[in-house]
Amino acid sequence: MTGFSLVERLRLLPDPRRRRGMRHPFVAVLLIAPFAVVADRVGLTRALAAALPRGAGPGWRDRGVALVPLACAIALGATNVLGAEQLQYQWRALFPKPVSDSTLRRALEAIDAPVAARVERVRAVIRRVVWTWPALRPGGFAWISVCGRELSGWYVPGLDATVVTCTSRKEGAAGTFKGTWRHHPPGAWVANTRECAAMQLRPGNAAANDAADHKTVLAAALRQLPLPLWPKLLVRINGAAFSHDILDHLQALTTSRRRVRRAPAGRSTPWTNRPSPGCRNRCGRTLCGRTAGPRDQRTRR
């Protein structure tokens, strides 16, 4: 069992459920349960309740308690509010008091621009608390390794746009050249912790190389990261958004207290854990065969 990740260890456990009516993998359920417990322990539920509008009445449900089960249901595969309600009823041991779909809709409708800004600040505060835990483990914080060299102190946010297929009745949905209706939100993912730091909702026909949208997402991601006083950032950007405007913006972010570097994100990522047949340094990284190229030297600077 040495070297196995938590997911690989959980996959070895037998599934005690019956085959009939089983919808979600046993590993996913085991991983979601600690997340719901940790959200209460770190104060995320209470902080969301303070940031969201409050009401009065005997049947009022705490909005923070409503959003945490909604996030867990989405992680389990729920694609709409009704599916999130049904998942809560299926896992009553995890959600003793399920929240109805109408309550979830009202909670989401109450999130306007000022409330969203307060929720963003709450997420940043809770993330600062949670990020102190990996630093206390024996291995320290999850720094990225490239070709056997650990980039200690470097935080690696990656920008990319994803496509979410939906029906034409969804708000903000737009037709694409493939004949489908979709949303096209750009997001920022942190490679150190493999979490989504920020995302912006856009219609499906939005341009993939919109520099203004990527600047907005990058700014929102930097506000979420609990960076030290003199941070070092390695920003990965998909090739569609790797424009001169973005490069100038990244260069402007470099100050006397902050170092920002850029790298194009392609199919081969320098921090993959899978061995590469063409690896010259035998370090198991797929970028070894192309780090010495003139293009990589130009982009890495």
Side-chain angles (χ1 to χ4, degrees), residues 201-229:
L201 295 178
R202 296 192 309 174
N205 56 358
N209 56 350
D210 194 326
D213 292 343
H214 283 80
K215 290 179 183 179
T216 303
V217 173
L218 179 59
L222 294 181
R223 289 194 298 267
Q224 288 294 317
L225 301 183
L227 300 177
L229 185 59

Side-chain angles (χ1 to χ4, degrees), residues 251-260:
Q251 190 68 26
L253 291 178
T254 301
T255 62
S256 58
R257 294 187 176 183
R258 178 172 56 191
R259 297 172 58 188
V260 180

Side-chain angles (χ1 to χ4, degrees), residues 27-295:
V27 177
V29 177
L30 293 178
L31 291 176
I32 288 298
F35 295 160
V37 176
V38 170
D40 293 335
R41 293 295 181 90
V42 300
L44 177 60
T45 305
R46 295 188 299 271
L48 288 176
L52 296 172
R54 295 185 179 182
W60 176 260
R61 297 297 302 272
D62 194 332
R63 295 305 187 236
V65 178
L67 290 185
V68 171
L70 177 61
C72 295
I74 294 174
L76 282 174
T79 57
N80 50 55
V81 178
L82 182 59
E85 179 190 8
Q86 296 299 324
L87 280 174
Q88 296 179 61
Y89 280 101
Q90 292 176 10
W91 300 101
R92 294 296 294 270
L94 184 59
F95 307 108
K97 297 180 179 180
V99 183
S100 63
D101 58 339
S102 58
T103 302
L104 292 175
R105 289 191 178 93
R106 288 192 294 267
L108 295 176
E109 290 176 355
I111 302 178
D112 52 5
V115 175
R118 293 199 297 266
V119 172
E120 182 181 358
R121 290 194 294 268
V122 167
R123 294 176 55 237
V125 171
I126 299 301
R127 180 173 283 108
R128 181 176 295 274
V129 175
V130 175
W131 273 34
T132 58
W133 297 349
L136 298 178
R137 64 177 186 171
F141 192 76
W143 303 117
I144 299 302
S145 296
V146 180
C147 299
R149 178 182 177 184
E150 185 182 74
L151 301 182
S152 180
W154 285 87
Y155 299 88
V156 187
L159 303 182
D160 196 1
T162 182
V163 176
V164 180
T165 305
C166 60
T167 61
S168 59
R169 295 176 294 178
K170 289 284 187 178
E171 182 181 357
T176 63
F177 68 96
K178 295 185 178 181
T180 57
W181 292 84
R182 300 179 178 180
H183 294 98
H184 193 195
W189 288 265
V190 185
N192 301 81
T193 57
R194 299 182 181 181
E195 61 180 316
C196 181
M199 186 168 288
Q200 179 184 4
L201 295 178
R202 296 192 309 174
N205 56 358
N209 56 350
D210 194 326
D213 292 343
H214 283 80
K215 290 179 183 179
T216 303
V217 173
L218 179 59
L222 294 181
R223 289 194 298 267
Q224 288 294 317
L225 301 183
L227 300 177
L229 185 59
W230 289 277
K232 295 184 291 184
L233 297 173
L234 176 62
V235 182
R236 298 175 60 247
I237 305 179
N238 193 8
F242 208 64
S243 60
H244 291 282
D245 196 2
I246 292 294
L247 295 180
D248 296 338
H249 178 68
L250 295 178
Q251 190 68 26
L253 291 178
T254 301
T255 62
S256 58
R257 294 187 176 183
R258 178 172 56 191
R259 297 172 58 188
V260 180
R261 295 294 183 265
R262 56 191 181 269
R267 294 183 178 179
S268 299
T269 56
W271 37 80
T272 179
N273 293 325
R274 297 181 179 179
S276 174
C279 178
R280 300 176 182 177
N281 299 330
R282 297 181 181 180
C283 62
R285 302 304 191 270
T286 58
L287 196 65
C288 296
R290 46 189 298 270
T291 48
R295 179 180 179 182

Side-chain angles (χ1 to χ4, degrees), residues 4-54:
F4 279 35
S5 64
L6 177 60
V7 178
E8 294 174 343
R9 291 172 181 266
L10 293 177
R11 286 176 180 173
L12 300 178
L13 298 178
D15 192 345
R17 300 174 296 174
R18 293 182 298 178
R19 294 288 181 179
R20 184 176 181 180
M22 188 173 59
R23 298 182 180 180
H24 310 288
F26 188 54
V27 177
V29 177
L30 293 178
L31 291 176
I32 288 298
F35 295 160
V37 176
V38 170
D40 293 335
R41 293 295 181 90
V42 300
L44 177 60
T45 305
R46 295 188 299 271
L48 288 176
L52 296 172
R54 295 185 179 182

